[in-house]
Amino acid sequence: MAPMTTPLYSWHRQQGARMALFGGYEMPLWYASAKDEHLAVLTHAGVFDTSHMAVVLVEGPGAFELLQFCFTNDLAACLGPRQTPLKPGRAVYGAFLTPEGHVIDDAIVFMLAGDAFLVVVNAGMGQRVATHLDRHRQHRDVRVKDLSGQFGKMDVQGPMAARMMRDVLADPEQVFDAMPYFAFKGGFSATMPSCGSVVTRDGVPLLLSRTGYTGEFGFEIFTSAETIINVWEAVMAAGAKHGAIPCGLAARDSLRAGAVLPLSHQDIGDWPFCHHPWPFALPYTPAQKGFTKTFLGSTALETGSAPYTYPFIGYDLRKVTLPAKVRDAADRVIGDVLTCVTDMAIEWHGERVFSISSPDVPEGFTGGGLCCGFVRVADPLPLDTRITLKDKRRQIEVRIVADIRPDRTARQPIHTML
Amino acid sequence: MKELSEVNLPEDVRYTKDHEWARKNGGTFQIGISDFAQDQLGDIVFVELPEVGDRFESGDEFGTVESVKAVSELFMPLGGEVVTINAALEDAPELVNNLPYTEGWMLEIKASDPSEYDQMMDRAAYLDMLKGLEE
């Protein structure tokens, strides 16, 4: 099959981006420098073409019930510390599982209205997730539609993102008001209930969401396939004075790994979706014993055995190349490396990891870069366990950690970023 | 990414199919990777080199260059013994990106069979090969 392209393909080529295939799409891997792009998201802002991602529209009186059955998170109890129900204008992260509890894909569910949801999944997964939902529709009155290729999407991530969007939006004060992490406003097609409530100065309707895949403050922006190039150019123009640069998939991968976010079909996949660093994607009861709802795959997760997934950090920036094995102190193979990248913004200083954007960064700190990622092992490992990662060429010692890049900004209130 | 017309290919070195170069330097040979290779790899953040005194055959892996995303092998353009390594790359691996034929050199070797150099590609042959890769 010939590679697919996004509406921004020509722009990427004109900028001399190094292109690569990802999820069936020919996408920019980097423009001038993957390292500079990674650092720009921490210090200024980065702009990513994410039009390769897929969106499935689920609507009708049975939409909520269908998603409650198929999606791992509890839509009736997922908002905030009090676990209140999802409401229009809010989004939640979770996954779609097989009856065995294995991952079909992870997703963010955006609630447009009581009976209408946008399900944002990974590149090339729209049809598969739509088919899966349709198969489990049963008697429910619900329509499932794969919108892949019918929209454009870009992410603006970094501390300058709100200042940039203030210059792009027609009414930024009203849009930014009451817009916490994982809230969204607007729409990208006339049939969406709030479409028109967020528009650019050129009058282009957007769905603007306080989400992203870097761990840093910013937005995901959805618009039509026809208008994405205009929005992209407006955002880049607004970003010029704020040090924003276009970023490719290499920086996206190293940023998300440092932010302890999984890559679907790599860090989560064809094994049970539990015992991992993303418990917020599962509907655990407050006592963490069992789930608040029954859903497709829940019985398998509650009763079956599963491997354990942990984040790790190395002691310098050297990586192993996949496939690579995990070995314990006795040199026994105990698991596999899922992701191993370099976060160029972090470095050990004594017993603590700092980021170049840490508020209390030590004097002279440059952020030399550390290897980091995820391992999957057969049995539980305590925090700070030292393990060895070994590929065909080298072995490196790393440490099991709870978190990787410190002082991330994703949850910062908008008003502190203007 | 550079267009082929923008790739710097000096005349005073010879090239391999794996994109290393060698330069005759009196009785020894200096070794590095081509401008095409560094452009393909992207930001180089770490270079792993052998030790002085190590011996290699032509085609042996002698080290790695590491970008943010990947680790790539380096192969000997000709056999011999390592007499010097470029220690500056330890603190400044980006020299390989910025000055691949000068300050971004990697090794100096004493060749076991200097005639292997004559079998390497000259600029024209290497450029022809790169044109073939683009098609």
Side-chain angles (χ1 to χ4, degrees):
Chain A
M1 195 172 74
M4 292 177 281
T5 57
T6 76
L8 296 166
Y9 176 78
S10 301
W11 193 93
H12 304 318
R13 294 300 298 253
Q14 279 162 19
Q15 297 294 312
R18 172 123 163 76
M19 307 294 284
L21 262 187
F22 181 81
Y25 284 80
E26 198 175 342
M27 298 299 292
L29 208 46
W30 63 76
Y31 297 83
S33 155
K35 178 183 170 183
D36 290 351
E37 292 164 26
H38 180 108
L39 297 178
V41 170
L42 295 178
T43 57
H44 298 81
V47 186
F48 301 77
D49 176 11
T50 49
S51 306
H52 60 309
M53 293 183 70
V55 173
V56 177
L57 180 65
V58 183
E59 58 183 353
F64 180 87
E65 212 184 290
L66 174 63
L67 288 171
Q68 267 302 63
F69 177 64
C70 291
F71 191 58
T72 56
N73 223 319
D74 188 347
L75 303 183
C78 60
L79 277 193
R82 291 199 197 132
Q83 299 288 284
T84 55
L86 191 66
K87 57 186 182 185
R90 301 299 282 272
V92 63
Y93 175 77
F96 296 105
L97 309 181
T98 65
E100 296 75 33
H102 296 195
V103 175
I104 294 167
D105 205 13
D106 64 351
I108 296 182
V109 169
F110 292 74
M111 188 169 183
L112 299 173
D115 60 354
F117 300 83
L118 283 183
V119 178
V120 179
V121 293
N122 289 277
M125 291 302 295
Q127 195 53 55
R128 184 149 170 225
V129 170
T131 304
H132 172 73
L133 290 172
D134 208 47
R135 187 181 301 147
H136 293 283
R137 194 166 52 86
Q138 296 176 339
H139 61 280
R140 298 180 189 99
D141 180 7
V142 51
R143 292 171 300 286
V144 177
K145 193 175 170 199
D146 175 19
L147 301 183
S148 296
Q150 297 174 34
F151 63 94
K153 177 176 178 289
M154 56 187 282
D155 298 3
V156 186
Q157 303 274 294
M160 297 297 165
R163 292 179 213 189
M164 290 161 64
M165 291 313 292
R166 184 171 57 189
D167 292 346
V168 171
L169 295 172
D171 190 356
E173 283 75 21
Q174 174 253 318
V175 173
F176 291 162
D177 181 51
M179 201 181 185
Y181 190 47
F182 268 70
F184 71 94
K185 293 185 179 181
F188 58 87
S189 102
T191 56
M192 292 176 185
S194 299
C195 190
S197 66
V198 178
V199 293
T200 66
R201 290 182 177 188
D202 300 328
V204 178
L206 310 178
L207 188 152
L208 186 75
S209 169
R210 272 289 309 277
T211 47
Y213 191 46
T214 63
E216 302 305 323
F217 177 85
F219 303 94
E220 292 187 284
I221 301 168
F222 300 76
T223 187
S224 75
E226 294 73 35
T227 48
I228 186 75
I229 182 69
N230 305 65
V231 180
W232 176 275
E233 284 179 342
V235 169
M236 291 307 302
K241 66 173 182 284
H242 295 298
I245 56 173
C247 298
L249 291 181
R252 188 166 162 84
D253 193 42
S254 52
L255 285 159
R256 69 91 194 168
V260 197
L261 298 171
L263 175 59
S264 192
H265 310 115
Q266 181 167 310
D267 302 312
I268 54 178
D270 207 10
W271 65 90
F273 184 65
C274 56
H275 301 168
H276 54 51
W278 310 287
F280 49 80
L282 288 166
Y284 285 113
T285 61
Q288 301 285 306
K289 291 196 173 116
F291 297 138
T292 56
K293 69 166 187 179
T294 301
F295 57 96
L296 193 57
S298 64
T299 309
L301 298 187
E302 286 182 306
T303 58
S305 66
Y308 292 76
T309 302
Y310 295 103
F312 70 84
I313 305 185
Y315 293 92
D316 60 40
L317 50 67
R318 285 176 308 148
K319 294 178 286 294
V320 291
T321 304
L322 304 186
K325 292 288 180 190
V326 181
R327 288 168 181 269
D328 66 7
D331 206 30
R332 286 176 306 215
V333 173
I334 56 168
D336 295 286
V337 182
L338 301 173
T339 285
C340 188
V341 298
T342 304
D343 187 324
M344 290 303 296
I346 59 174
E347 178 76 274
W348 287 98
H349 192 84
E351 266 298 288
R352 196 179 138 190
V353 172
F354 286 86
S355 148
I356 51 161
S357 53
S358 292
D360 55 346
V361 66
E363 202 170 324
F365 179 88
T366 53
L370 294 174
C371 121
C372 61
F374 301 101
V375 292
R376 186 186 59 202
V377 293
D379 298 303
L381 292 176
L383 268 187
D384 293 326
T385 303
R386 286 172 188 237
I387 50 172
T388 302
L389 312 185
K390 194 168 184 180
D391 68 9
K392 66 180 176 28
R393 177 186 308 114
R394 65 164 61 138
Q395 58 180 53
I396 56 175
E397 191 175 294
V398 304
R399 186 194 283 197
I400 299 292
V401 291
D403 201 3
I404 299 177
R405 190 173 66 249
D407 304 308
R408 298 192 297 271
T409 53
R411 292 166 188 275
Q412 291 284 323
I414 289 187
H415 68 86
T416 65
M417 307 303 272
L418 285 168
Chain B
M1 195 169 71
K2 290 185 180 183
E3 299 291 330
L4 264 192
S5 58
E6 301 166 328
V7 173
N8 178 18
L9 297 173
E11 296 274 7
D12 69 333
V13 302
R14 294 205 162 196
Y15 302 88
T16 70
K17 65 173 177 29
D18 299 312
H19 311 288
E20 281 81 22
W21 58 259
R23 179 188 286 120
K24 206 168 183 173
N25 213 353
T28 62
F29 291 88
Q30 215 177 34
I31 287 164
I33 64 168
S34 74
D35 188 36
F36 177 84
Q38 72 74 22
D39 185 55
Q40 291 282 318
L41 292 167
D43 288 323
I44 291 164
V45 296
F46 192 80
V47 184
E48 192 171 50
L49 295 176
E51 293 185 7
V52 170
D54 286 354
R55 302 185 65 89
F56 296 94
E57 302 283 319
S58 160
D60 282 357
E61 181 182 329
F62 69 86
T64 58
V65 279
E66 190 150 352
S67 66
V68 176
K69 275 211 67 154
V71 184
S72 307
E73 296 98 341
L74 297 163
F75 298 103
M76 272 299 196
L78 61 174
E81 181 184 335
V82 178
V83 292
T84 324
I85 61 161
N86 185 358
L89 299 183
E90 194 175 329
D91 288 327
E94 66 275 12
L95 288 172
V96 177
N97 290 119
N98 299 339
L99 298 160
Y101 301 104
T102 53
E103 289 175 55
W105 67 278
M106 292 174 175
L107 306 177
E108 198 170 339
I109 65 158
K110 188 160 176 264
S112 39
D113 177 6
S115 76
E116 284 179 340
Y117 179 77
D118 303 319
Q119 293 156 30
M120 291 175 66
M121 285 178 271
D122 62 10
R123 181 187 191 278
Y126 182 59
L127 184 57
D128 275 349
M129 189 195 86
L130 295 182
K131 283 177 182 161
L133 293 181
E134 288 236 312
E135 279 157 16

